[in-house]
Short mmCIF file of all heavy atoms in Angstrom, two decimals:
data_model
loop_
_atom_site.label_atom_id
_atom_site.label_comp_id
_atom_site.label_asym_id
_atom_site.label_seq_id
_atom_site.Cartn_x
_atom_site.Cartn_y
_atom_site.Cartn_z
N TYR A 1 15.30 5.35 -1.74
CA TYR A 1 14.53 4.85 -2.90
C TYR A 1 13.48 5.86 -3.33
O TYR A 1 12.28 5.61 -3.22
CB TYR A 1 13.87 3.52 -2.56
CG TYR A 1 14.85 2.49 -2.06
CD1 TYR A 1 14.97 2.22 -0.69
CD2 TYR A 1 15.67 1.79 -2.93
CE1 TYR A 1 15.88 1.28 -0.22
CE2 TYR A 1 16.58 0.85 -2.48
CZ TYR A 1 16.68 0.61 -1.12
OH TYR A 1 17.57 -0.32 -0.66
N PRO A 2 13.88 7.00 -3.85
CA PRO A 2 12.92 8.06 -4.17
C PRO A 2 11.96 7.70 -5.31
O PRO A 2 10.91 8.32 -5.43
CB PRO A 2 13.82 9.24 -4.56
CG PRO A 2 15.10 8.63 -4.98
CD PRO A 2 15.27 7.40 -4.15
N ASP A 3 12.28 6.67 -6.10
CA ASP A 3 11.41 6.30 -7.22
C ASP A 3 10.28 5.34 -6.83
O ASP A 3 9.40 5.08 -7.64
CB ASP A 3 12.24 5.66 -8.34
CG ASP A 3 13.22 6.64 -8.97
OD1 ASP A 3 12.94 7.86 -8.92
OD2 ASP A 3 14.24 6.20 -9.52
N LEU A 4 10.31 4.83 -5.62
CA LEU A 4 9.23 3.93 -5.19
C LEU A 4 7.96 4.72 -4.94
O LEU A 4 7.99 5.92 -4.64
CB LEU A 4 9.61 3.21 -3.90
CG LEU A 4 10.68 2.13 -3.97
CD1 LEU A 4 10.91 1.52 -2.58
CD2 LEU A 4 10.31 1.04 -4.95
N VAL A 5 6.84 4.03 -5.01
CA VAL A 5 5.55 4.61 -4.63
C VAL A 5 5.36 4.29 -3.15
O VAL A 5 5.55 3.15 -2.73
CB VAL A 5 4.41 4.00 -5.47
CG1 VAL A 5 3.06 4.52 -5.00
CG2 VAL A 5 4.63 4.28 -6.95
N PHE A 6 4.99 5.28 -2.36
CA PHE A 6 4.85 5.11 -0.92
C PHE A 6 3.39 5.23 -0.50
O PHE A 6 2.62 5.98 -1.11
CB PHE A 6 5.70 6.13 -0.16
CG PHE A 6 7.17 5.97 -0.43
CD1 PHE A 6 7.81 6.74 -1.38
CD2 PHE A 6 7.89 5.01 0.25
CE1 PHE A 6 9.16 6.58 -1.64
CE2 PHE A 6 9.24 4.83 0.00
CZ PHE A 6 9.88 5.62 -0.95
N SER A 7 3.03 4.52 0.54
CA SER A 7 1.68 4.54 1.08
C SER A 7 1.76 4.68 2.59
O SER A 7 2.62 4.06 3.23
CB SER A 7 0.94 3.25 0.71
OG SER A 7 -0.30 3.19 1.38
N THR A 8 0.87 5.48 3.14
CA THR A 8 0.77 5.62 4.59
C THR A 8 -0.69 5.44 5.00
O THR A 8 -1.61 5.58 4.19
CB THR A 8 1.24 7.00 5.08
OG1 THR A 8 0.38 7.99 4.52
CG2 THR A 8 2.68 7.26 4.68
N ARG A 9 -0.89 5.15 6.27
CA ARG A 9 -2.25 5.02 6.78
C ARG A 9 -3.02 6.33 6.68
O ARG A 9 -4.24 6.33 6.53
CB ARG A 9 -2.22 4.58 8.24
CG ARG A 9 -1.77 3.17 8.42
CD ARG A 9 -1.68 2.83 9.88
NE ARG A 9 -1.26 1.45 10.01
CZ ARG A 9 -1.65 0.65 10.96
NH1 ARG A 9 -2.45 1.08 11.91
NH2 ARG A 9 -1.22 -0.59 11.02
N GLU A 10 -2.30 7.44 6.78
CA GLU A 10 -2.97 8.74 6.72
C GLU A 10 -3.54 9.01 5.33
O GLU A 10 -4.63 9.58 5.19
CB GLU A 10 -2.00 9.86 7.11
CG GLU A 10 -1.53 9.83 8.54
CD GLU A 10 -0.44 8.79 8.81
OE1 GLU A 10 0.24 8.36 7.86
OE2 GLU A 10 -0.30 8.39 9.97
N VAL A 11 -2.83 8.58 4.29
CA VAL A 11 -3.28 8.83 2.91
C VAL A 11 -4.24 7.73 2.45
O VAL A 11 -5.25 8.01 1.83
CB VAL A 11 -2.07 8.93 1.95
CG1 VAL A 11 -2.52 9.03 0.51
CG2 VAL A 11 -1.20 10.12 2.33
N GLU A 12 -3.92 6.48 2.76
CA GLU A 12 -4.77 5.34 2.38
C GLU A 12 -4.99 4.45 3.60
O GLU A 12 -4.21 3.54 3.87
CB GLU A 12 -4.12 4.54 1.24
CG GLU A 12 -4.88 3.30 0.82
CD GLU A 12 -6.34 3.55 0.47
OE1 GLU A 12 -6.60 4.03 -0.64
OE2 GLU A 12 -7.22 3.29 1.31
N PRO A 13 -6.04 4.74 4.37
CA PRO A 13 -6.26 3.97 5.59
C PRO A 13 -6.74 2.54 5.32
O PRO A 13 -6.61 1.68 6.17
CB PRO A 13 -7.32 4.77 6.34
CG PRO A 13 -7.99 5.59 5.30
CD PRO A 13 -6.98 5.83 4.22
N GLU A 14 -7.29 2.29 4.15
CA GLU A 14 -7.86 0.98 3.84
C GLU A 14 -6.81 0.04 3.27
O GLU A 14 -6.51 0.06 2.08
CB GLU A 14 -9.03 1.13 2.88
CG GLU A 14 -9.80 -0.15 2.62
CD GLU A 14 -10.28 -0.83 3.89
OE1 GLU A 14 -10.90 -0.17 4.74
OE2 GLU A 14 -10.01 -2.03 4.02
N PHE A 15 -6.22 -0.80 4.12
CA PHE A 15 -5.17 -1.74 3.72
C PHE A 15 -5.66 -2.72 2.65
O PHE A 15 -4.93 -3.04 1.71
CB PHE A 15 -4.66 -2.49 4.96
CG PHE A 15 -3.62 -3.52 4.66
CD1 PHE A 15 -2.38 -3.15 4.16
CD2 PHE A 15 -3.87 -4.86 4.86
CE1 PHE A 15 -1.41 -4.10 3.88
CE2 PHE A 15 -2.91 -5.81 4.59
CZ PHE A 15 -1.68 -5.43 4.10
N TYR A 16 -6.90 -3.20 2.78
CA TYR A 16 -7.40 -4.17 1.80
C TYR A 16 -7.48 -3.59 0.40
O TYR A 16 -7.31 -4.30 -0.58
CB TYR A 16 -8.76 -4.73 2.24
CG TYR A 16 -8.64 -5.71 3.38
CD1 TYR A 16 -9.08 -5.38 4.65
CD2 TYR A 16 -8.06 -6.95 3.18
CE1 TYR A 16 -8.96 -6.28 5.70
CE2 TYR A 16 -7.93 -7.86 4.22
CZ TYR A 16 -8.39 -7.52 5.47
OH TYR A 16 -8.26 -8.41 6.51
N ARG A 17 -7.72 -2.31 0.29
CA ARG A 17 -7.76 -1.68 -1.04
C ARG A 17 -6.39 -1.83 -1.72
O ARG A 17 -6.30 -2.09 -2.91
CB ARG A 17 -8.17 -0.22 -0.92
CG ARG A 17 -8.56 0.39 -2.24
CD ARG A 17 -9.09 1.82 -2.18
NE ARG A 17 -9.25 2.47 -0.90
CZ ARG A 17 -10.43 2.67 -0.29
NH1 ARG A 17 -11.54 2.25 -0.85
NH2 ARG A 17 -10.49 3.31 0.87
N LEU A 18 -5.33 -1.68 -0.94
CA LEU A 18 -3.98 -1.89 -1.49
C LEU A 18 -3.77 -3.35 -1.89
O LEU A 18 -3.20 -3.63 -2.94
CB LEU A 18 -2.92 -1.47 -0.48
CG LEU A 18 -2.75 0.00 -0.22
CD1 LEU A 18 -1.77 0.23 0.92
CD2 LEU A 18 -2.28 0.72 -1.47
N LEU A 19 -4.20 -4.25 -1.03
CA LEU A 19 -4.04 -5.68 -1.36
C LEU A 19 -4.78 -6.05 -2.63
O LEU A 19 -4.22 -6.71 -3.51
CB LEU A 19 -4.54 -6.56 -0.21
CG LEU A 19 -3.61 -6.73 0.98
CD1 LEU A 19 -4.27 -7.60 2.04
CD2 LEU A 19 -2.29 -7.32 0.56
N TYR A 20 -6.03 -5.65 -2.73
CA TYR A 20 -6.82 -6.00 -3.91
C TYR A 20 -6.25 -5.39 -5.18
O TYR A 20 -6.43 -5.91 -6.27
CB TYR A 20 -8.28 -5.60 -3.74
CG TYR A 20 -9.03 -6.46 -2.74
CD1 TYR A 20 -9.77 -5.89 -1.72
CD2 TYR A 20 -9.00 -7.85 -2.83
CE1 TYR A 20 -10.47 -6.66 -0.81
CE2 TYR A 20 -9.69 -8.63 -1.92
CZ TYR A 20 -10.42 -8.04 -0.92
OH TYR A 20 -11.10 -8.82 -0.02
N GLY A 21 -5.53 -4.31 -5.05
CA GLY A 21 -4.93 -3.66 -6.21
C GLY A 21 -3.53 -4.15 -6.53
O GLY A 21 -2.88 -3.62 -7.43
N SER A 22 -3.06 -5.15 -5.79
CA SER A 22 -1.71 -5.65 -6.01
C SER A 22 -1.72 -7.10 -6.45
O SER A 22 -2.71 -7.82 -6.25
CB SER A 22 -0.88 -5.50 -4.73
OG SER A 22 -1.33 -6.42 -3.75
N SER A 23 -0.63 -7.55 -7.02
CA SER A 23 -0.54 -8.95 -7.44
C SER A 23 0.12 -9.82 -6.38
O SER A 23 -0.11 -11.02 -6.34
CB SER A 23 0.22 -9.06 -8.76
OG SER A 23 1.53 -8.57 -8.61
N ILE A 24 0.92 -9.22 -5.52
CA ILE A 24 1.57 -9.97 -4.45
C ILE A 24 1.92 -9.00 -3.32
O ILE A 24 2.19 -7.83 -3.55
CB ILE A 24 2.83 -10.71 -4.96
CG1 ILE A 24 3.36 -11.67 -3.90
CG2 ILE A 24 3.90 -9.74 -5.41
CD1 ILE A 24 4.34 -12.69 -4.44
N MET A 25 1.93 -9.55 -2.10
CA MET A 25 2.29 -8.75 -0.94
C MET A 25 3.53 -9.38 -0.31
O MET A 25 3.61 -10.60 -0.22
CB MET A 25 1.14 -8.74 0.07
CG MET A 25 1.22 -7.64 1.11
SD MET A 25 2.06 -8.03 2.64
CE MET A 25 0.89 -9.05 3.47
N ILE A 26 4.48 -8.55 0.09
CA ILE A 26 5.65 -9.02 0.81
C ILE A 26 5.60 -8.40 2.21
O ILE A 26 5.69 -7.19 2.35
CB ILE A 26 6.96 -8.65 0.10
CG1 ILE A 26 6.96 -9.22 -1.32
CG2 ILE A 26 8.16 -9.16 0.89
CD1 ILE A 26 8.12 -8.77 -2.18
#
């Protein structure tokens, strides 16, 4: 899936920042 946006702990260690910026989490 090369078109997906990927996130790692090394690049974005703050998980809550991702949650607050999203509409739903799976």
Side-chain angles (χ1 to χ4, degrees):
Y1 305 101
D3 295 334
L4 289 180
V5 176
F6 297 97
S7 172
T8 63
R9 289 177 179 214
E10 294 78 21
V11 174
E12 177 53 79
E14 187 54 51
F15 177 65
Y16 286 110
R17 194 175 357 255
L18 288 174
L19 281 179
Y20 288 129
S22 70
S23 61
I24 190 164
M25 197 268 286
I26 302 173

